[in-house]
C-alpha cells in the first residue's frame, strides 16, 4: 500500500502544476495518470496566455487570469534552472483583430475597461497594423493591441512541471487508471488504480473532462463536460508575423521553429476523437482571411482535444463539501495553460490549510451543480 501525503488524479497541466507547487512546499506527492503525462487537452493547446484576449468583461475570472499571467516570466526562469526545459515564453504580444465595424466598436469598448483596470490595450487602426504586421490582409479593419498577452509551448510547460516535480522528489505514475475511490467516515480512504492502491491524507481531482466520472466514484457530482477543439499547424520558411493574431473565427500562434498553430473549433459535448474535414476547412479559410500568404505554408498536422467546460464557464477550485479531504481543480475550459501556475500555487496553499481569497468565486459549492449531458 502506497501512503503519500497527497494523491493528484490526472497528469495534465493542472495536475502537474499542483503537484509541482505542493512538492516545493515539502509535501510527498504522487500524480496518477492513466495514460502518459500531458497526453490530452494539455498537449492540444496552442499555449496562449490570453488573459485579456479571452475575456469580455471585468470580474474575478480576469483577475485570476492576470495574476497567473504575471507569474510566467519568473516561472520560465525557475523551470529552466531546475529542469533545463525551456517553456518558450514568447513576449511578442497579441492582436485581437476586427474584421468589420461592429467588431471594431466592441473591441474598442473592451479596450476601455481593460485600460481602466490598469492593463495595456491600445486600439490600432488598419494603417498602424500594417506597419507592425505587413502580412495582415486588408480585410482586417483594426485591432486591439495586447502586449501583455503572451504565449508558451503548452506541451513543454506540462513536461517542465512534471520534470520539476520529479527532481524535487515527487512522483508521476503513468498507466495508473483510477478505478475507484473508497469513502469512509466522510473522507476518501483509498484510491484504487490499475497499478495498485494508495492511502493518501489528501486527494486532488484534476482529471480534465473526466473529472465528472472520477468524482462520481466518491458520490460527488461535478458537471464538467467536454468542449471539443480541433487545430492544425503549418510550417513557414520565413516568419510571416511575430505577434499572435486572434481573429473572430480562428487564431494564429507563431512558434519559434517556423510552426504556425491555427486553432480552434469549439463543439460542446462532442466526444468523437477525430478531426473533421469541415473543421479543417473552416480553420484554413479563416487563417487565409487574416494572412493570405499562409497559403504557401507547408501542411504539418492536425489534432483534436477536449477542453473541460463548466456550466458557468468558470473553473472549480477548492474542497468539495461532501468529503473532508477531497479537493478539485478542473473546468479550466479555454484557459488551463494560462491558469496553471495560479491554480498550482493556490491549491498548494489550500491543502496546507491557508486561505486563498482569490479562489472564493470558484468554489465547487457555488450555484447549483447543474448536470449536463456528456461524459461520465
Ligand atoms: C484545441 C485546444 C486549444 C487550447 N488552447 C489553449 C490556449 O491557447 N491557452 C490555454 O490557456 N488553454 C488552452 N486550451 C485549454 C487547455 O488545454 C485546458 O484547459 C487544459 O489543458 C486542461 O488541463 P487539465 O490538466 O485539466 O486536463 P487534461 O490535460 O485533459 O488532463 C487530465 C488528465 O487526467 C487524466 N485522467 C482522466 N481520468 C483519469 C483516471 N480515471 N485515472 C487517471 N488519470 C485520469 C487524463 O488521462 C488526462 O491526462 C486549449 C484546449 C484545446 C482543446
Amino acid at each position: 500500500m502506497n501512503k503519500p501525503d497527497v494523491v493528484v488524479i490526472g497528469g495534465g497541466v493542472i495536475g502537474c502544476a499542483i503537484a509541482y507547487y505542493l512538492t516545493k512546499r515539502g509535501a510527498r506527492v504522487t500524480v496518477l495518470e492513466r495514460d502518459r503525462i500531458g497526453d490530452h487537452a494539455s498537449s492540444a493547446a496552442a499555449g496562449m496566455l490570453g488573459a485579456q484576449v479571452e475575456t469580455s468583461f471585468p470580474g474575478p475570472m480576469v483577475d485570476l487570469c492576470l495574476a497567473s499571467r504575471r507569474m510566467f516570466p519568473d516561472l520560465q526562469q525557475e523551470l529552466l534552472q531546475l529542469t533545463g526545459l525551456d517553456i518558450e515564453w514568447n513576449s511578442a504580444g497579441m492582436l485581437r483583430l476586427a474584421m468589420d465595424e461592429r467588431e471594431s466598436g466592441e473591441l474598442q469598448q473592451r479596450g476601455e475597461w481593460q485600460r481602466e483596470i490598469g492593463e495595456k490595450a491600445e486600439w490600432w487602426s488598419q494603417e498602424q497594423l500594417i506597419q507592425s504586421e505587413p502580412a495582415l490582409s486588408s480585410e482586417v479593419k483594426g485591432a486591439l493591441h495586447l502586449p501583455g498577452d503572451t504565449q508558451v509551448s503548452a506541451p513543454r510547460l506540462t513536461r517542465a512541471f512534471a520534470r520539476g516535480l520529479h527532481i524535487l522528489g515527487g512522483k508521476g505514475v503513468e498507466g495508473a487508471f483510477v478505478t475507484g475511490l473508497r469513502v469512509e467516515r466522510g473522507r476518501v480512504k483509498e484510491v484504487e488504480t490499475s497499478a495498485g492502491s494508495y492511502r493518501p491524507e489528501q486527494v486532488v481531482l484534476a482529471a480534465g473532462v473526466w473529472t465528472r466520472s472520477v468524482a462520481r466514484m466518491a458520490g460527488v457530482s461535478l458537471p464538467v463536460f467536454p468542449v471539443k477543439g480541433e487545430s492544425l499547424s503549418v510550417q513557414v520558411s520565413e516568419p510571416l508575423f511575430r505577434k499572435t493574431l486572434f481573429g473572430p473565427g480562428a487564431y494564429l500562434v507563431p512558434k519559434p521553429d517556423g510552426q504556425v498553430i491555427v486553432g480552434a473549433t469549439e463543439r460542446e459535448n462532442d466526444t468523437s476523437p477525430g478531426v473533421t474535414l469541415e473543421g479543417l476547412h473552416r480553420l484554413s479559410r479563416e487563417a487565409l482571411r487574416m494572412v493570405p500568404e499562409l497559403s504557401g505554408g507547408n501542411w504539418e498536422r492536425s489534432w483534436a482535444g477536449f477542453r473541460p467546460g463548466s456550466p458557468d464557464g468558470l473553473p472549480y477550485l477548492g474542497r468539495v463539501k461532501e468529503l473532508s479531504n477531497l479537493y478539485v481543480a478542473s473546468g479550466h475550459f479555454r484557459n488551463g495553460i494560462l491558469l496553471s501556475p495560479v491554480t498550482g500555487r493556490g491549491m498548494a496553499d489550500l491543502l496546507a490549510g491557508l486561505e486563498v481569497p482569490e479562489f472564493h468565486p470558484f468554489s465547487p459549492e457555488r450555484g447549483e451543480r447543474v448536470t449536463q449531458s456528456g461524459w461520465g
Side-chain angles (χ1 to χ4, degrees), residues 177-370:
F177 199 132
V178 172
T179 50
L181 297 176
R182 195 153 66 77
V183 172
E184 253 180 53
R185 294 196 200 94
R187 60 197 308 278
V188 178
K189 177 95 177 160
E190 196 167 314
V191 179
E192 297 157 352
T193 86
S194 54
S197 293
Y198 293 78
R199 282 196 174 185
E201 290 300 316
Q202 293 168 308
V203 179
V204 183
L205 193 43
V209 288
W210 299 275
T211 295
R212 181 176 162 197
S213 54
V214 183
R216 199 182 285 152
M217 294 174 193
V220 172
S221 141
L222 279 169
V224 176
F225 60 91
V227 183
K228 181 174 170 179
E230 299 156 303
S231 295
L232 64 92
S233 64
V234 293
Q235 275 286 339
V236 291
S237 48
E238 291 293 322
L240 292 172
F241 48 90
R242 288 175 46 248
K243 298 185 193 309
T244 294
L245 306 177
F246 198 115
Y251 51 73
L252 307 177
V253 188
K255 296 294 176 181
D257 60 353
Q259 184 192 47
V260 176
I261 296 182
V262 183
T265 59
E266 207 175 291
R267 288 178 224 270
E268 264 187 33
N269 287 315
D270 180 346
T271 57
S272 59
V275 178
T276 61
L277 196 54
E278 195 232 318
L280 295 180
H281 172 67
R282 199 160 71 72
L283 291 172
S284 311
R285 189 189 60 213
E286 293 295 326
L288 297 184
R289 216 178 137 209
M290 292 187 272
V291 179
E293 273 183 77
L294 257 188
S295 59
N298 284 319
W299 173 263
E300 198 179 51
R301 65 188 187 97
S302 64
W303 62 93
F306 300 96
R307 308 173 184 93
S310 69
D312 59 8
L314 305 178
Y316 295 110
L317 304 171
R319 188 170 70 76
V320 302
K321 74 168 186 300
E322 293 90 339
L323 300 167
S324 62
N325 66 344
L326 181 63
Y327 294 77
V328 62
S330 191
H332 292 74
F333 189 37
R334 294 175 61 98
N335 293 304
I337 302 301
L338 166 64
L339 289 170
S340 58
V342 86
T343 299
R345 185 183 66 185
M347 292 302 293
D349 285 349
L350 268 187
L351 268 80
L354 302 177
E355 266 290 304
V356 182
E358 64 191 331
F359 280 9
H360 287 171
F362 309 101
S363 159
E365 304 313 326
R366 68 179 183 267
E368 283 219 0
R369 294 198 202 144
V370 189

Side-chain angles (χ1 to χ4, degrees), residues 66-132:
L66 290 170
S68 205
R69 195 185 70 185
R70 280 193 290 272
M71 293 172 73
F72 274 90
D74 287 348
L75 181 64
Q76 180 197 29
Q77 288 306 312
E78 179 180 316
L79 290 174
L80 185 61
Q81 276 161 23
L82 179 66
T83 68
L85 262 177
D86 184 359
I87 61 170
E88 295 176 351
W89 180 64
N90 171 333
S91 60
M94 279 193 207
L95 290 168
R96 174 66 174 90
L97 309 180
M99 308 301 276
D100 58 33
E101 290 309 311
R102 187 187 53 80
E103 278 166 15
S104 300
E106 276 174 18
L107 289 177
Q108 288 180 51
Q109 276 180 3
R110 189 188 292 196
E112 271 172 38
W113 69 255
Q114 295 196 343
R115 286 192 296 277
E116 275 164 24
I117 61 165
E119 297 305 317
K120 289 188 180 140
E122 195 187 344
W123 179 252
W124 279 7
S125 66
Q126 201 177 42
E127 293 70 42
Q128 284 168 295
L129 265 181
I130 300 299
Q131 272 176 20
S132 168

Side-chain angles (χ1 to χ4, degrees), residues 36-50:
R36 280 185 319 184
I37 297 278
D39 252 8
H40 291 279
S42 303
S43 295
M48 291 179 293
L49 308 179

